[in-house]
Amino acid sequence: MKYIKTLLVDDDYLVLMDLKNIVNWKELGFQITGTASNGKSALSIVEKESPDLIVTDISMPVMDGFDFIKIIQEKYPDIYIIFISSYADFDYAKRAMKAGIRDYLIKNEITSEALADQLLQVKEFLQNRTRSRVQDYRLKLSEYFMSGSIQPLPEELHRKRFIFYFISYYQPLEKLKPHFQRTVQGGSDLYHRLHDIYFDSYPDALLFTTEDILIAGIPAKSFESGCSITGISNTAKTLRSWFAVPDNCDLFVSYYPYKLSLEACRSFYQKLLPLIRFQNSFPVAFQENLAKLEESVYIPVRQNFSYKLLASSLDHPEELYNQLDYYAGKLFEQKDIDGIFYLYHNCMLQMEELSEHMLNFSSCQYFHDQETFLNFIKKSYEEVRQSLQISRLKHYSIPLSTAMEYMKHNYQNHSLTVEIIAAQIGFSSSRFSVLFKQETGQTVGDYLTDLRISQAIHLLENSHLKIYEIAEHVGYKSAQYFSQVFYQRTGHKPLYFRQKKPE
C-alpha cells in the first residue's frame, strides 16, 4: 500500500504534536515524513522527501505560509496544500483562495473527526488524479514506443532512469500475425491483470503497452540494494508471480539490466523488437536478460522458399526436406520470426490445397526449437502424402463419381441441393445421401461445404475480390452466413487468408 507522504509545518511545537496525534495518520493512508517550524526549513524537507501533502500554518517567522506556498506552487505544483491558522480571519481565507488553496482550517475548530474527513477527501482527490495521469502516461508512452510521436510529458519523466521489463504471453506461431490484421491484445490484458498490485508497490513507476507487450519501467532508485543483476532478476520473478500463474504458464518476462532513460529504452526496444518476438515464440526459459542481444544485428532473410516443391515432391520428398532444412536453418540462425511464420503458414496452406479439403491442424502449435518446428511440418506433409496415396487407390462407384464431378462444376450455384444433385444420376435424395456417406465417410453437405471453402481460400489469396463477391462466387447469397460457415470450418475469419503467399 502506498502512503501519502505528508509534511507538517507550524512554528508552535504543541500544535505540531497535536496534529501528529489527533488522528491515526497511517490508518487513513498517510505517512508523516517530516515537520518544520517555518517555511524556509520546510523547503529543504520538500526537496529531500517530495511530499504529496503539506499542512502548513500561515503566520510563521523567517518565511510565512504565503511566501512558502508561492515557492511550492512554482516548483512543485502537484503538492496538495492545506492551510491552518489561529485566526478566523476572512482576509486570510480570501488570500488563501486567491493563491489557489483548496482547504483552509481554523486551528481551534480542528477535531479528530473533521481532520479525518478532510484527509479522506484529499486522499480520494490524489488517487483520482494519479489514476488519470497513469492512464494519460500509458496512452502517450504507448504511442511513443510504437510510432515515435509523443505529446509533451513532464521533463522530470525524461530525466529519470528506469530498469525496464518486457512482459508478454508466450506467442506460438498461430498467434503471431504481424502481417495480417492486428488482433493481438495481449499487452492490454496483461496491463489490467498487473495494474493494481504493481502501482501499490511502485507508485512512481511506468506501465504501458504496445499491441502485445507490456512494458514496466521501475525507477532505479526503487532497488534498495542498487541495480544489481541479482536484484533485477529477482524483481522479474516477482513481476511474474504477481500474475498468479503456474510455472508452466505461457508468460514471458525479459529485462535490460542497466538504467535507461525513456528515449534510450525506446531505441533499444525498436532495435531488438524482432529478437524479442523470436524469444517470445521459442523461449528457453520464462525469464531472459536482454543484454546479451544488445550487439545483435537483425537482418531478415531475403531468400524466398519455393513452395512449388510441396506439389512436385509428393512421390520423392527428399529434395523438399533438404530445402526445408536449409531454409529453416537460415531463418532460425537470423531469428527471423516473420520468415518462420510465413514458412509455417504457407506450408500449411499449400498442404490444404494439395489435399483439396481442410486439414485438421491444431489452431495453436507450440514449437520449442528448430527441430520440433521442422518435425511438425514434415510429419504433416507425410500425412498429406499418405492421404493422397489412399485417394489414388480408392475408386468410387460410377454414380457417385458422376455426382462428385457435377458438384465440382456447380458448387457456385447457391440453389444447389441434394435433390438436384441426386437427380443428375437418377437417384432419390435419400438413396443418394446413404450411398455418399457409405463411400466417402462424409455427408453431401459437408463435401459441398469443403469444396466451397477451399475455393474461397484460393480466391482470398489470389484475387482482389471483396469478401461479399467471394461469398457469391462460391455459392453463398449472404456474406454474413458465408463468414459464419468459414469460421466454423477453418477456425479463422476470411481476412486471415487475405495475405498473398510469396512467389
Side-chain angles (χ1 to χ4, degrees):
M1 173 182 178
K2 180 197 176 186
Y3 288 105
I4 295 171
K5 295 193 289 185
T6 304
L7 170 63
L8 305 180
V9 188
D10 198 297
D11 62 326
D12 189 329
Y13 177 77
L14 293 178
V15 171
L16 284 179
M17 291 303 101
D18 285 344
L19 284 174
K20 288 179 72 173
N21 298 315
I22 194 171
V23 294
N24 188 329
W25 290 84
K26 283 208 169 183
E27 193 174 88
L28 294 170
F30 293 77
Q31 179 183 20
I32 297 176
T33 57
T35 61
S37 59
N38 60 68
K40 186 174 181 181
S41 58
L43 280 176
S44 62
I45 297 175
V46 170
E47 291 174 1
K48 292 177 183 177
E49 299 294 340
S50 301
D52 307 296
L53 168 66
I54 295 176
V55 181
T56 180
D57 190 11
I58 295 178
S59 179
M60 296 182 293
V62 185
M63 180 187 289
D64 70 11
F66 286 114
D67 291 336
F68 170 54
I69 67 107
K70 182 179 180 182
I71 297 172
I72 293 296
Q73 288 176 325
E74 289 175 355
K75 296 184 67 176
Y76 311 99
D78 287 342
I79 296 179
Y80 196 105
I81 297 172
I82 297 177
F83 257 166
I84 58 173
S85 175
S86 301
Y87 307 99
D89 191 321
F90 184 64
D91 288 337
Y92 273 4
K94 283 196 300 183
R95 284 188 66 188
M97 287 186 285
K98 190 174 181 181
I101 304 304
R102 294 180 176 84
D103 301 305
Y104 181 92
L105 302 176
I106 307 302
K107 288 182 183 180
N108 57 10
E109 295 179 1
I110 297 175
T111 64
S112 59
E113 293 80 8
L115 182 57
D117 182 63
Q118 186 69 47
L119 291 175
L120 289 176
Q121 291 181 43
V122 172
K123 180 179 177 180
E124 182 179 6
F125 172 84
L126 292 176
Q127 288 178 337
N128 288 338
R129 187 178 69 182
T130 298
R131 279 192 287 269
S132 176
R133 285 183 177 175
V134 164
Q135 181 64 10
D136 186 44
Y137 285 179
R138 178 193 171 193
L139 296 175
K140 289 178 179 178
L141 290 170
S142 295
E143 181 183 356
Y144 176 55
F145 267 63
M146 288 190 288
S147 66
S149 61
I150 190 170
Q151 298 177 37
L153 283 168
E155 183 61 31
E156 178 188 0
L157 199 60
H158 292 286
R159 292 197 302 267
K160 282 186 176 179
R161 296 296 180 267
F162 303 85
I163 299 297
F164 284 96
Y165 294 85
F166 307 93
I167 308 167
S168 65
Y169 286 116
Y170 181 8
Q171 297 174 344
L173 293 184
E174 276 295 314
K175 289 182 181 176
L176 266 180
K177 305 172 185 176
H179 300 284
F180 290 83
Q181 181 175 289
R182 291 301 301 221
T183 58
V184 178
Q185 294 298 326
S188 294
D189 179 63
L190 289 168
Y191 178 88
H192 293 298
R193 288 176 182 271
L194 185 67
H195 175 271
D196 289 340
I197 189 172
Y198 178 74
F199 283 113
D200 277 346
S201 299
Y202 301 106
D204 298 323
L206 303 175
L207 194 68
F208 57 98
T209 63
T210 58
E211 287 98 336
D212 51 351
I213 296 177
L214 175 65
I215 302 176
I218 299 178
K221 66 180 183 180
S222 300
F223 293 83
E224 295 179 359
S225 58
C227 298
S228 67
I229 297 296
T230 301
I232 292 168
S233 174
N234 288 338
T235 300
K237 293 177 183 176
T238 300
L239 289 174
R240 190 166 183 274
S241 71
W242 283 345
F243 289 94
V245 295
D247 289 339
N248 61 348
C249 180
D250 54 353
L251 186 67
F252 191 78
V253 180
S254 54
Y255 57 88
Y256 185 68
Y258 305 109
K259 294 180 283 188
L260 290 175
S261 65
L262 271 175
E263 184 178 358
C265 181
R266 180 184 178 275
S267 299
F268 173 81
Y269 176 80
Q270 293 291 338
K271 174 187 175 183
L272 292 189
L273 183 58
L275 302 177
I276 293 172
R277 290 193 187 281
F278 178 87
Q279 289 196 158
N280 290 355
S281 298
F282 300 96
V284 295
F286 286 111
Q287 183 178 314
E288 192 70 34
N289 183 339
L290 296 176
K292 63 184 181 182
L293 298 179
E294 192 169 12
E295 300 305 319
S296 302
V297 178
Y298 170 68
I299 304 175
V301 175
R302 301 298 181 188
Q303 177 183 344
N304 287 326
F305 183 78
S306 177
Y307 293 99
K308 295 177 182 178
L309 282 171
L310 281 96
S312 63
S313 300
L314 287 168
D315 293 324
H316 302 285
E318 293 80 12
E319 182 182 358
L320 169 65
Y321 292 162
N322 288 336
Q323 289 298 317
L324 274 174
D325 290 342
Y326 172 77
Y327 188 63
K330 285 272 189 188
L331 294 173
F332 275 84
E333 181 184 352
Q334 291 298 115
K335 296 182 171 57
D336 186 350
I337 190 60
D338 289 354
I340 294 170
F341 169 76
Y342 271 131
L343 179 62
Y344 164 77
H345 182 72
N346 289 315
C347 280
M348 297 301 103
L349 290 182
Q350 289 286 350
M351 286 186 235
E352 287 176 343
E353 290 181 11
L354 288 171
S355 301
E356 296 184 347
H357 66 275
M358 303 307 297
L359 299 178
N360 188 28
F361 294 123
S362 168
S363 62
C364 179
Q365 298 299 338
Y366 284 75
F367 305 111
H368 300 290
D369 50 33
Q370 179 180 335
E371 182 180 0
T372 57
F373 173 79
L374 283 169
N375 285 344
F376 175 80
I377 292 181
K378 292 175 183 179
K379 181 176 179 291
S380 301
Y381 187 67
E382 287 300 323
E383 291 174 2
V384 170
R385 291 180 65 230
Q386 291 175 17
S387 173
L388 290 175
Q389 287 171 0
I390 292 172
S391 297
R392 290 171 188 168
L393 297 173
K394 191 168 184 175
H395 297 286
Y396 296 117
S397 62
I398 292 176
L400 191 62
S401 297
T402 303
M404 293 171 76
E405 198 64 27
Y406 179 79
M407 281 189 275
K408 288 179 181 178
H409 288 92
N410 293 276
Y411 66 86
Q412 296 168 312
N413 178 6
H414 63 78
S415 300
L416 190 62
T417 63
V418 175
E419 289 75 15
I420 292 174
I421 299 167
Q424 300 302 311
I425 57 174
F427 279 28
S428 67
S429 60
S430 59
R431 183 185 174 195
F432 170 60
S433 296
V434 170
L435 176 67
F436 196 95
K437 180 70 172 178
Q438 286 176 343
E439 293 199 31
T440 68
Q442 282 185 293
T443 65
V444 178
D446 285 344
Y447 181 80
L448 185 57
T449 299
D450 278 353
L451 280 176
R452 286 169 167 167
I453 297 302
S454 292
Q455 181 60 18
I457 290 174
H458 175 76
L459 292 173
L460 284 165
E461 293 182 275
N462 298 286
S463 77
H464 296 290
L465 294 175
K466 295 180 171 59
I467 301 295
Y468 76 86
E469 294 174 325
I470 292 176
E472 293 174 358
H473 189 86
V474 298
Y476 292 93
K477 286 197 295 185
S478 164
Q480 182 178 1
Y481 179 64
F482 161 73
S483 295
Q484 291 174 355
V485 173
F486 193 97
Y487 185 82
Q488 291 169 358
R489 216 68 178 175
T490 68
H492 300 289
K493 295 179 181 179
L495 280 175
Y496 183 88
F497 296 91
R498 182 86 274 183
Q499 175 71 31
K500 283 180 174 292
K501 298 189 296 295
E503 290 296 330

